[in-house]
Amino acid sequence: MDAHAAAGRPGNYTGSQRWRDPKRYAWLLGAVVPCLVPLSWLAVTITDLSICWWLGPLLTFIAVPVVDQLIGTDASTPPDDAYIELDRDRFYRWATWLYLPNQYLWLVFACWLWSGGGWVSMTWYDKLGLMATVGIVGGIGINAAHELGHKRDHLEKRLSRIALAQTGYGHFFVEHNRGHHVRVATPQDPASSRLGESVYRFVPRSVSGGVRSAWGLETSRLGRRGASPWTLKNDVLSGWLLTIALFAVLAIWFGPVVLPWLIGQAIVGFCLLEVVNYLEHYGLSRQLQSNGRYEKVSAQHSWNSNTLVANVFLFHLQRHSDHHANPQRRYQTLRSRDDAPQLPGGYGAMLVVALIPPLWRRVMDPLVAAHQARLALAQKGQPA
């Protein structure tokens, strides 16, 4: 064993060469995303510019895509002999765990601002901007929940469900793990967008389909045990009750005035998630085999992106191809896959493109066609 690893020093791993994660401390940036809320307030207080309440959307849809483009991509991948120690390094778990206290601390702060605190007069438009910023924090919180919910550790599963309470998306815990990962890139999956489908058609279909699927999965699971779905053992129902309890406590604490803004930020949050879902599998499909089953999920069924900035803030969510091929891998161990279809930009830029359907189709439909042609050639044993 490498002497540094034996000494318990983080970041160094066994193998023929010592390997250090170049993004090791950068991952902590993902945990500070909720600080967008106090930063918005601080910026308004200092500058008296009300546009600063919209800091979340401004960074998500303008600043991050620009910086992503300037900094470029990072396709660095840990070597195989570093995988085990890297997976066990608890530093990376703390980077995701820390998101939650930040998430809820600044949600409480936002409620204080909505209820008239903060020593800054807010118009309805200012509160709307704060709602959008808080919603983006909640939407990225779903991503933190996504990372935690895939793990076998019971504590991480509980933390995942807590992270989902802000956006009222408790059913995601069930649907994503037991529904989406099984049915991805098939017509049966509501979270897989179809070729030619606009984001405006996809989001309502995915939201409603995800709710129905999650409820059906839990009803079936409990039914096999002879239990009714109307029980706290139903992970969908208990997840929604967490949201109701959270909103009720905040409404009692700060007054009913905060409820419209809490509901609004939840809608922003889960819509952000669903637009990301739209990017991740657009136009990709698994082949139905002669035995009536779909081919095994592989890296070819998810779009991949290696832009550095978005990957750091999203805990490698953009390496979605390797995630679907190996769902139990922790974010720090996800690999850049040469066999995966590549998005032409990071999620920040592609979110903007997706909101303009003619532009999205002009950019993405040829890429889908080219990917399908490569797969057809590969099936015939010919070079792509």
Side-chain angles (χ1 to χ4, degrees), residues 214-294:
W215 186 263
L217 287 167
E218 275 298 88
T219 299
S220 296
R221 180 182 70 86
L222 293 166
R224 289 192 295 270
R225 300 180 178 182
S228 164
W230 300 101
T231 169
L232 289 178
K233 293 181 180 179
N234 183 328
D235 287 338
V236 173
L237 190 59
S238 59
W240 291 340
L241 288 174
L242 275 176
T243 298
I244 293 172
L246 171 66
F247 286 14
V249 168
L250 292 173
I252 292 170
W253 189 354
F254 296 103
V257 67
V258 302
L259 280 175
W261 306 112
L262 285 171
I263 294 170
Q265 65 81 31
I267 294 171
V268 170
F270 69 68
C271 283
L272 178 63
L273 164 81
E274 294 296 357
V275 178
V276 169
N277 275 338
Y278 178 78
L279 311 178
E280 291 172 337
H281 305 286
Y282 177 77
L284 304 179
S285 59
R286 288 154 59 195
Q287 296 299 311
L288 187 62
Q289 300 173 316
S290 58
N291 61 5
R293 295 183 178 181
Y294 287 96

Side-chain angles (χ1 to χ4, degrees), residues 33-201:
V33 166
C35 294
L36 286 172
V37 176
L39 284 176
S40 297
W41 170 77
L42 185 61
V44 171
T45 303
I46 294 172
T47 68
D48 201 30
L49 295 174
S50 60
I51 190 67
C52 294
W53 291 118
W54 296 82
L55 186 61
L58 290 171
L59 289 178
T60 302
F61 298 109
I62 299 176
V64 168
V66 170
V67 175
D68 238 355
Q69 183 66 30
L70 292 174
I71 292 180
T73 60
D74 167 43
S76 63
T77 296
D80 291 340
D81 55 15
Y83 176 83
I84 294 177
E85 292 297 328
L86 185 62
D87 180 77
R88 292 174 178 172
D89 191 336
R90 296 185 71 84
F91 170 85
Y92 295 95
R93 301 189 192 189
W94 280 105
T96 51
W97 293 356
L98 286 172
Y99 194 97
L100 275 72
N102 271 334
Q103 177 184 356
Y104 284 102
L105 171 64
W106 300 121
L107 177 63
V108 169
F109 183 73
C111 287
W112 179 59
L113 293 172
W114 282 321
S115 65
W119 311 293
V120 177
S121 177
M122 296 181 72
T123 67
W124 69 267
Y125 185 74
D126 296 337
K127 292 181 180 181
L128 192 67
L130 178 60
M131 183 192 81
T133 295
V134 174
I136 286 173
V137 170
I140 298 176
I142 299 177
N143 179 53
H146 165 260
E147 172 65 23
L148 294 165
H150 271 290
K151 305 305 172 280
R152 295 187 176 94
D153 184 273
H154 289 297
L155 172 60
E156 289 185 299
K157 287 182 178 295
R158 292 190 187 99
L159 292 175
S160 173
R161 301 185 69 202
I162 291 171
L164 292 168
Q166 177 181 338
T167 49
Y169 237 49
H171 62 279
F172 177 86
F173 178 81
V174 173
E175 165 57 17
H176 181 81
N177 294 293
R178 287 159 44 203
H180 175 61
H181 270 266
V182 174
R183 300 184 295 236
V184 63
T186 71
Q188 289 73 41
D189 179 35
S192 293
S193 52
R194 301 160 184 166
L195 182 66
E197 183 178 31
S198 77
V199 70
Y200 302 104
R201 286 185 177 272

